[in-house]
Amino acid sequence: MFRRLFCLLPTLFFAACSVSQLPPVSHDEFSRLELKILALGPHVSAEEAARAARVALQYPRHLRSQYEVTDGPLIHNSKVNAGTRPRGLCWHWAQDMQIRLAAEQFETLDLHRAIANSNLALRIDHSTVLISAAGDTMLNAIVLDPWRFGGLLYFGTLVEDTKYKWLPQTEVLRKRAENQL
């Protein structure tokens, strides 16, 4: 456990040194995410993939402003927990992203919620939203993580996201409820 935490220290340090203003989303970023979403399956609508990519990349920037993020994620978390910032914990990002994406009423895409690190002794878990082809499981989904870089969206498949081992949110919550009995 300590080895895992020690390995995270450089990431946590550099994440804490983020700048308050984010660069605009590049055309290349839009294209990369749109193509990833299209690759989820042959029945994914090109129009929905483009819309999902646009929302997923732009909405975190709106949330960053709304949450008053000026620091890296862990420092911002401390400010939220101390009551000096309104929102910005990972589950806030995930919840708000899911609500915004769901408002698009996709027909060829589904949204999923996931939690990582729920089995760590320190219980510092991490929540996010994922997007898949309609009817598919989160195992074949793309992770959409706006918290990790404070409003700059991380996106990648579960296999590509080697930082976290994601589990379905419902599974983690069920296990926690069973342990509370």
Side-chain angles (χ1 to χ4, degrees), residues 78-93:
S78 298
K79 291 178 177 181
V80 173
N81 290 330
T84 62
R85 291 294 190 270
R87 289 173 69 80
L89 302 177
C90 63
W91 70 267
H92 294 140
W93 291 91

Side-chain angles (χ1 to χ4, degrees), residues 64-79:
R64 179 182 174 88
S65 174
Q66 186 178 3
Y67 296 165
E68 303 172 22
V69 175
T70 56
D71 302 291
L74 295 179
I75 292 173
H76 187 78
N77 279 11
S78 298
K79 291 178 177 181

